[in-house]
Amino acid sequence: MEHLIIFLPLIGFLFCFFLGKNFNFKISQILTTSFLFISAILSWILFFYYLGEKDTEVIHIFNWFNSGNFIVDWSIRIDSLTTTMFVVVCSVSACVHLYSIGYMSDDSSKERFMGYLSLFTFFMLILVSSNNLLQMFFGWEGVGLASYLLIGFWHHKSSANNAAIKAFLLNRVGDFGFALGIAGIFFIFGSIEFDVIFNNTENFKDHSITFLGFSFSTIDFLCFLLFIGAMGKSAQLGLHTWLPDAMEGPTPVSALIHAATMVTAGVFLVARMSPLYEYAEVTNLFITFIGASTAIFAASIALTQNDIKRVIAYSTCSQLGYMFFAAGIGAYNASIFHLMTHGFFKALLFLSAGSVIHAMHNEQDMRKMGGLFKKIPFTGTMMWIGSLAIIGFPYFSGYYSKESILENAYYSNSSMATFAYSIGILTALLTAFYSWRLLFMTFHGETRSNNKTFDNAHESPLIMTFPLLLLAFGSIFVGMFFANFYIGKMQYTFWGEAIILQDGKHYYLPFIQTLIVKSSVAIGVVLAALIYFYKKNLSKKLAENLNPLHSISYNKWYVDEIYNYIFIKPYFFLANLFWKNGDEKIIDGYGPNGISKIISVSSNYLSRFQSGYLYHYAFAMLGGLVILLTWFIYY
Amino acid sequence: MTDIPLLSLTIFLPIIGALVILLIKEDEKSVNNIKKVAFWTSIGVFILSLLIWLQFDSSNPGYQFEEKFRWFNDFNFYYHVGIDGISLFMVILSTFLTPLCILASWENIKKRIKEYMLAFLFLETVMIGMFASVDILLFYVFFEAVLIPMYLIIGIWGGEKRIYASFKFFLYTLLGSVLMLIAIVAIYRFTGSMSILELQGNNFPKNIQIYLWLAFFASFAVKIPMWPFHTWLPDAHVEAPTAGSVILAGVLLKMGGYGFIRFSLGMLPEASQYFSPLIMILSVIAVIYTSLVALAQTDIKKLIAYSSVAHMGIVTIGIFVVNSQGLEGAMVQMISHGIVSGALFLCVGVIYDRMHTRDINFYGGLVNKMPIYATVFMIFMLGSVGLPGTSGFVGEFLVIVGAFQYSSLVVIGAASGIVLSAVYMLYLYKRIIFGLIENEKLTEILDLNLREKIILIPLALVVIMIGIFPNIFIEPMRLPLELIISNYELANGK
């Protein structure tokens, strides 16, 4: 069963890649989509199977490579963490596959698109089911490749190509850390198998390692390196700039890769390595800090963006921040639970946004929307459900997971956790604000689009709305159904050995704190309503009066511009410097060209001796004779 | 099978093919026969080398398929050839790439086809002979003989500045060779033996090792090439015809790495340890420096040439950290680079044959007209970038693992290749393949023809095969490399 789940998407890809062109594109679409639905159903079965008490199972496939005692196997590790990821990845992917049939109906290379989606799913499943770090790295870079291919899917668009390269490179910066981390773990533990690492963690608790002349706590250091990889993949502060640009890809891609699955791989990595992270005190503080900062930073940008997809992209970035700070304070279960619920509601939001864009004929600017609810009520409802889930409206799925993260932060005894808690509440307010801003600007009020577009706006076909319905179901009920297993009374039976759990009490926030959380969300919604629904002019006035703040947010804190100045330009400058001055002037100039110049100059000089005049030669002979004679006479 | 001198047959079959070609008169009609003879000869050699691989015994760390005849009566010089796990894949790399090269030259070589094919077959013989030599003098003869056909290939069938390039190539490599010859003479004076087999281990006092090591270094560092002895490579590549570049990048650069493992590590372990910091510094500079320079190039071939220098930097790091991961990684990286960079040069050749320019800015949007080309190019690009699942990853990653045990500075240098290689390769790919066709001359460009598919698709499959099943390649080289490592550790008292 596990094999089927993982390899069906691969078969789908191979079919599209090698044979897709030979058949009608419908064959590719039907094949990949039905494979994904089979995978999804099987993964739900597996998931329910693992809801109860069940040991980790490792299925060995074959040996990948051996070098000395560096042994890497292809294998499948199944535990409740894996089954959770299976369910999220396969379900969202199946919905996205189905949705894409409708969304990409005008595109000329449908089989290529479906193939890439399946390829991505395969790599993602390999990533989450790995039993060692290197197979995980294989999946990790593989999803990066799929993301690169899909962001740049419309390869005639220069902006899409640039975004694809940016995504790949920033991910690679993270992978640089990840690769070093794997090498370091092998150096310390002598193995990269999870079980070996986890069983020996205790022995290296007080161990320290010298790197670049500094001494670090070994586990802190290794965890830090791995976390750099996680930051790249999950677009955390500093390495986040690729995610908004990745919206250049088709919307189903954004829903699958850049919201629900791939970007959460970093969170998965930290949770998977939780037995190691448990001992990484300093790194955990760092993770909490980065997570919380990313949460508020990205939310602050989402406030003013006008591109509907970018708002959701920054919202993803911000929600990933939540997951990381939960992981940083040790609440891995809350973190993964939020990953799961977020997977559903964020995919729902993105696909609904896609439906809006589809209805508006590829218009993404919210300033040219408005009043669409009358035209596309179903999509509007779906967007409402997604937004209610993301702000944590009671009994929607986001409510359970986000609440749990805040609870854990509140009861954790460190000042960093307190910082994260207050940031978390503030971010919740901002989240509510930008979510409702999006709803109001898109669906309500007067329309700002031209009449023709507005009149032609129509609800998407069933093939696109049906996946929305499935995801909406998930967004509403996943929290309610599974909270007990992930964060509630059943958590010990459910998780087993898969991740490290905090001590078992299920906390409830004190009444006053609950009130603060709830009212901050309410304030966000009310503010959005006030500014974008009731008082239309207020937003302009606010933008003018708060100009510096507004432009910082609107221009994404100028991070791209800063990077351009401190990284990209010097990089190209150095490249040319090394080439023109280093290679051509210095190495060639003083090396081969210099030597040949010396030789040709000196031979020119020497050739003057061959003048051809007899008396020159005779004179030279005479001179030589004199010198020789003098020599013999005196010595 | 022991009665058939399989190895010698493999070495000299190309010469036999060359003799046959000599008998064919070069005119319009028989030109095709010349090509066919050359091609099928090289295929025959490839099959023979696969037979060697099939019969190869991985549990034997020493030389197999040995053949030994006395060469001079009064001296200890032998025609002594054999294959061990280190040379096995170098030989197969040579025999695999040669038929592809001949196929790649099918249409784009227009003048002196007979001499061209002769040069290639002769080149194949000396390449195989060099990797199979167990006698140092024999090795030297082959090692030098490689220069001659290569020099001719660049100098006769090359581009506009071919004379400058071929001279630079010749002078650089000759300078190294002269020093190596002196070292070989010195070794014979000291030991009276020329057998690699007998000289393995720690046979020289340390101060002499240091001089010998430097002499060998001069030769191998130019060949591989290491920074700052690399500037001959971009020029040679740019001016060489496609097939010449393929052999240059695919096999000739590996002579340096092979030499480092065989001679520097195998015979001069104390000096190797003494000089390993020097190697590390030069290699790390090579990885970073040439990756940057590669980005600035406007000539596709030059860009790939510079990327070769960076990749070889990873190889030299792997060799001189002297542990199983490092050495095996370096070997796999050499095999992988041979395939990937050879394939990349073939890819450049494909569009060069159509458009007669290698200027990156000339191209753009090729994916619209050449989807199959775009796909195979993508696979080689990913191999070059070292994506897991391709051949480039295994070697690079093993070197990183090996380097971590050596020094933190070196491992950062080696790992920086992960980011830097992606920068120039993705940027290159984007500029050539993606986008819309803006250059009018490209509107009629054709996708791969059958001949080109036959060349490129097997290479693409090999890239992925090495990525998924690298053990096939690591297994045979394990024991001989372990032997070198244990000698090294013994000599340096570890």
Side-chain angles (χ1 to χ4, degrees), chain A residues 17 63-67 134 141 155 162 168 172 176 187 211-212 571 575 578-579 582-583 587-588 593, chain B residues 164 168 230-231 289 292 297 306 325 328 375 385 388 397 408 415 418 420 426 430 434-435 467-468 471 478:
Chain A
F17 186 76
N63 179 265
W64 184 7
F65 58 97
N66 289 341
S67 173
L134 208 66
E141 290 247 293
H155 42 59
N162 289 336
F168 197 90
R172 277 248 154 171
F176 166 79
F187 181 56
F211 199 83
L212 292 179
Y571 196 97
F578 283 160
W579 179 30
D583 261 27
I587 296 178
D588 271 357
N593 294 353
Chain B
Y164 172 70
K168 207 168 170 185
H230 65 279
T231 55
Y289 177 102
L292 278 160
Q297 301 307 311
Y306 274 109
Q325 288 86 32
E328 286 167 20
T375 310
V385 165
F397 195 80
S408 46
I418 291 180
L420 301 178
L426 293 186
K430 180 205 145 190
F434 285 149
I468 308 282
N471 261 348
R478 175 163 302 136

Side-chain angles (χ1 to χ4, degrees), chain B residues 78-151:
Chain B
Y78 292 89
Y79 170 77
H80 187 181
V81 291
I83 291 278
D84 70 353
I86 301 172
S87 47
L88 176 66
F89 292 109
M90 295 292 132
V91 169
I92 291 177
L93 193 62
S94 319
T95 59
F96 178 53
L97 288 177
T98 305
L100 298 180
C101 282
I102 291 174
L103 215 50
S105 317
W106 211 259
E107 274 154 20
N108 59 16
I109 299 295
K110 299 246 174 355
K111 60 172 184 184
R112 299 178 136 191
I113 291 168
K114 189 169 171 179
E115 284 84 351
Y116 183 83
M117 293 300 166
L118 287 177
F120 251 91
L121 290 175
F122 179 68
L123 184 60
E124 185 172 25
T125 285
V126 290
M127 286 188 308
I128 305 172
M130 181 200 55
F131 288 125
S133 298
V134 187
D135 188 275
I136 302 179
L137 194 70
L138 188 66
F139 172 85
Y140 182 76
V141 170
F142 283 129
F143 191 86
E144 291 308 298
V146 167
L147 279 183
I148 301 163
M150 204 61 223
Y151 174 70

Side-chain angles (χ1 to χ4, degrees), chain B residues 6 17 34 52 102 129 137 157 198 206 218 239 241-242 248 250 257 268 274 277 279 283 307 367 377 402 439 447:
Chain B
L6 190 56
I34 292 177
I52 291 181
I102 291 174
L137 194 70
W157 294 277
E198 288 167 24
K206 190 175 177 185
E239 300 308 326
T242 301
L248 193 58
L268 312 165
Y274 180 79
I279 295 269
S283 309
S307 85
V367 66
F377 196 166
N439 190 336
D447 207 348

Side-chain angles (χ1 to χ4, degrees), chain A residues 71 119 134 138 155 226-227 231 248 353 368 385 430 453 479 525 533 562-563 585 634:
Chain A
I71 298 163
L119 178 70
L134 208 66
F138 171 84
H155 42 59
L226 295 183
F227 181 63
M231 281 175 70
E248 290 289 342
K368 293 178 186 157
I385 293 175
L430 299 182
T453 325
V525 174
F533 192 63
I562 295 169
Y563 279 6
K585 275 202 188 132
Y634 282 93

Side-chain angles (χ1 to χ4, degrees), chain A residues 1-9 11 33-51 78-79 82-91 94 125:
Chain A
M1 189 154 79
E2 297 83 2
H3 291 86
L4 272 185
I5 295 176
I6 295 175
F7 290 105
L8 276 180
I11 297 168
T33 310
S34 44
F35 278 174
L36 248 299
F37 270 92
I38 297 171
S39 280
I41 291 164
L42 290 177
S43 53
W44 277 103
I45 295 172
L46 197 68
F47 175 74
F48 282 112
Y49 197 51
Y50 272 79
L51 266 186
I78 304 286
D79 56 17
T82 307
T83 56
T84 303
M85 296 303 289
F86 271 7
V87 160
V88 175
V89 173
C90 290
S91 312
L125 294 172

Side-chain angles (χ1 to χ4, degrees), chain A residues 200-505:
Chain A
N200 291 312
T201 312
E202 285 266 344
N203 307 337
F204 293 97
K205 223 161 71 179
D206 304 315
H207 192 263
S208 66
I209 188 171
T210 312
F211 199 83
L212 292 179
F214 297 98
S215 182
F216 300 98
S217 145
T218 304
I219 292 182
D220 263 325
F221 177 67
L222 296 175
C223 287
F224 178 76
L225 288 178
L226 295 183
F227 181 63
I228 293 177
M231 281 175 70
K233 189 98 338 195
S234 296
Q236 292 300 289
L237 195 58
L239 296 178
H240 67 281
T241 53
W242 66 269
L243 184 59
D245 287 19
M247 297 304 127
E248 290 289 342
T251 310
V253 174
S254 316
L256 176 62
I257 302 183
H258 306 118
T261 55
M262 184 186 86
V263 288
T264 61
V267 183
F268 170 80
L269 170 67
V270 175
R272 175 55 91 204
M273 300 305 287
S274 59
L276 197 65
Y277 275 94
E278 201 50 18
Y279 294 97
E281 287 169 22
V282 183
T283 302
N284 280 337
L285 290 180
F286 181 71
I287 296 176
T288 316
F289 175 73
I290 289 286
S293 313
T294 309
I296 188 133
F297 171 82
S300 76
I301 297 175
L303 296 179
T304 54
Q305 299 303 307
N306 290 319
D307 183 321
I308 186 167
K309 283 180 75 182
R310 282 192 186 243
V311 175
I312 310 179
Y314 277 107
S315 141
T316 305
C317 211
S318 159
Q319 297 299 312
L320 289 166
Y322 269 108
M323 294 175 213
F324 272 112
F325 84 64
I329 55 178
Y332 303 105
N333 54 345
S335 171
I336 291 295
F337 193 42
H338 195 56
L339 187 163
M340 188 184 192
T341 58
H342 173 260
F344 287 101
F345 63 69
K346 190 51 66 66
L348 176 65
L349 283 173
F350 257 119
L351 291 187
S352 309
S355 182
V356 172
I357 295 167
H358 194 73
M360 297 294 287
H361 299 282
N362 298 326
E363 182 56 70
Q364 300 188 190
D365 192 336
M366 294 194 296
R367 282 170 298 191
K368 293 178 186 157
M369 297 179 183
L372 282 173
F373 200 89
K374 281 164 258 164
K375 300 293 272 183
I376 44 173
F378 180 81
T379 305
T381 317
M382 292 298 122
M383 199 68 128
W384 267 86
I385 293 175
S387 302
L388 286 171
I390 197 177
I391 62 163
F393 193 79
Y395 309 113
F396 279 68
S397 62
Y399 165 72
Y400 296 92
S401 53
K402 201 183 263 186
E403 208 86 328
S404 165
I405 289 176
L406 290 176
E407 281 158 21
N408 275 292
Y410 182 76
Y411 284 104
S412 188
N413 309 316
S414 75
S415 48
M416 190 57 88
T418 317
F419 164 75
Y421 176 70
S422 29
I423 294 282
I425 289 177
L426 194 57
T427 307
L429 188 154
L430 299 182
T431 309
F433 180 82
Y434 67 66
S435 300
W436 255 258
R437 173 175 174 267
L438 186 151
L439 284 178
F440 286 128
M441 281 182 81
T442 313
F443 290 106
H444 304 288
E446 303 283 305
T447 182
R448 292 174 299 281
S449 62
N450 64 42
N451 288 333
K452 204 173 152 221
T453 325
F454 185 76
D455 290 337
N456 286 338
H458 56 88
E459 192 61 83
S460 302
L462 182 67
I463 204 157
M464 287 167 68
T465 49
F466 180 66
L468 292 183
L469 206 59
L470 292 179
L471 289 170
F473 184 81
S475 308
I476 300 173
F477 295 110
V478 160
M480 210 182 293
F481 289 169
F482 301 117
N484 210 10
F485 296 95
Y486 280 86
I487 49 174
K489 293 198 183 72
M490 299 283 284
Q491 53 175 317
Y492 282 93
T493 19
F494 174 70
W495 285 112
E497 300 280 294
I499 58 170
I500 296 291
L501 292 170
Q502 301 288 76
D503 45 359
K505 284 168 276 170

